[in-house]
Amino acid sequence: MIVKYPTKIYRYIRFRRGHGVHSPFAFNLINKVIEEKKIFYIFEETEKLRSQFQLKRRKKKKYGQLLFRLVNFFKPNHVLQIGFSREVEILYLLSALDKGKLTLLEENITDISLAEMISNQFKPFEIKPAINIETLDSIRNKNHIPDFVFFNITHNTEMTYALLEKILSNIDEHTHVIFVIDSIRKNKEMKNLWKTITSNPKVTITMDLYVLGLVIFNKKLYKRNYKVHF
């Protein structure tokens, strides 16, 4: 007799706390970052800033807090956020940055104005008023590439993949890059995009967190696709 579990229950039983994950890197990432329950003092301050700037917040705070923990864990030199959407996530990314920098790509004039206000009143960051390959090249021409990228443009899956491919084309075996893809199950296009990303031979590890997708490029790791309860 085959027992069928509801999807969410199966995901909880199979992937909770890294069960079934043999890679030490992936296991530590799941246990010490993704499923970490520690509340950082900065979270409360970030939520106050969210209200001050009238930013939107998802039903659950955990997505912004995860971005904070990821940046705090990987300590990237350059965070790139593609798409603003007037959401709180950018504050969590900025709060986690110590010596690194953040660049925002955004096309909407109203969103750019709000981003400039955050940059002036909270923590300065670079704003590029376009989302395209040329703008990405202008960043790359400064002799470095972003090593942590938050893709937040679910309305344009073709551009998302083009930008992802462009970044991957400029990295070598010594480069470590982390991508976070937002809303990987929002619609059919995003689901297909995630499927294409996981099958990309240049990508090393992917983690399906149901709403967010985590993509890691590190030649020292074996290629694996994980589904993680989050």
Side-chain angles (χ1 to χ4, degrees):
M1 178 180 178
I2 300 176
V3 179
K4 294 185 178 180
Y5 296 100
T7 302
K8 290 185 178 180
I9 294 178
Y10 174 77
R11 288 168 56 82
Y12 182 89
I13 294 174
R14 179 63 180 83
F15 302 110
R16 181 69 174 173
R17 305 305 298 175
H19 292 304
V21 175
H22 301 293
S23 164
F25 171 85
F27 185 86
N28 287 333
L29 182 59
I30 292 170
N31 281 274
K32 296 181 179 180
V33 181
I34 296 174
E35 296 190 0
E36 173 62 62
K37 301 301 181 183
K38 177 182 177 181
I39 302 298
F40 291 81
Y41 76 92
I42 201 70
F43 290 171
E44 183 177 352
E45 295 182 15
T46 302
E47 285 299 315
K48 289 179 180 178
L49 285 169
R50 180 193 68 80
S51 299
Q52 175 184 328
F53 293 117
Q54 298 182 349
L55 295 174
K56 294 184 292 184
R57 185 185 69 201
R58 300 172 186 270
K59 292 181 179 179
K60 297 181 180 179
K61 301 177 184 179
K62 66 178 184 178
Y63 300 108
Q65 294 177 0
L66 174 61
L67 289 175
F68 175 95
R69 292 196 300 272
L70 287 168
V71 171
N72 188 56
F73 178 77
F74 287 108
K75 301 188 184 308
N77 294 313
H78 188 180
V79 172
L80 174 64
Q81 177 168 333
I82 303 175
F84 180 42
S85 302
R86 304 177 71 85
E87 293 177 345
V88 70
E89 278 76 7
I90 194 168
L91 295 182
Y92 279 100
L93 290 172
L94 288 168
S95 296
L97 281 173
D98 184 13
K99 298 179 180 179
K101 61 174 292 186
L102 183 144
T103 300
L104 171 68
L105 272 57
E106 178 53 63
E107 297 176 328
N108 183 280
I109 296 177
T110 303
D111 289 347
I112 290 173
S113 297
L114 179 54
E116 289 174 341
M117 183 186 301
I118 295 172
S119 179
N120 293 330
Q121 297 183 18
F122 174 46
K123 186 179 289 188
F125 58 94
E126 184 179 27
I127 302 170
K128 295 284 189 177
I131 300 177
N132 52 45
I133 297 297
E134 291 73 22
T135 306
L136 184 61
D137 280 337
S138 71
I139 298 173
R140 183 178 60 84
N141 286 339
K142 296 178 180 179
N143 298 319
H144 70 277
I145 62 170
D147 46 354
F148 187 104
V149 185
F150 176 44
F151 290 90
N152 192 28
I153 50 171
T154 58
H155 63 283
N156 193 338
T157 55
E158 290 185 3
M159 179 56 66
T160 295
Y161 195 72
L163 293 170
L164 183 148
E165 277 278 276
K166 186 65 176 180
I167 295 172
L168 288 180
S169 69
N170 289 285
I171 61 181
D172 56 34
E173 61 182 9
H174 303 293
T175 307
H176 300 170
V177 179
I178 299 93
F179 299 141
V180 180
I181 316 294
D182 190 27
S183 303
I184 59 174
R185 284 182 171 78
K186 181 177 181 179
N187 50 42
K188 182 179 179 181
E189 289 74 21
M190 287 301 297
K191 291 178 181 178
N192 289 336
L193 172 66
W194 180 246
K195 185 177 180 180
T196 302
I197 292 172
T198 58
S199 61
N200 188 312
K202 297 177 183 178
V203 170
T204 312
I205 287 179
T206 63
M207 291 189 176
D208 176 351
L209 309 184
Y210 198 74
V211 172
L212 300 180
L214 184 61
V215 183
I216 298 170
F217 179 90
N218 185 337
K219 278 293 187 180
K220 296 180 180 179
L221 303 174
Y222 291 105
K223 184 173 179 60
R224 290 293 302 272
N225 301 322
Y226 297 100
K227 289 186 178 180
V228 182
H229 171 79
F230 180 68

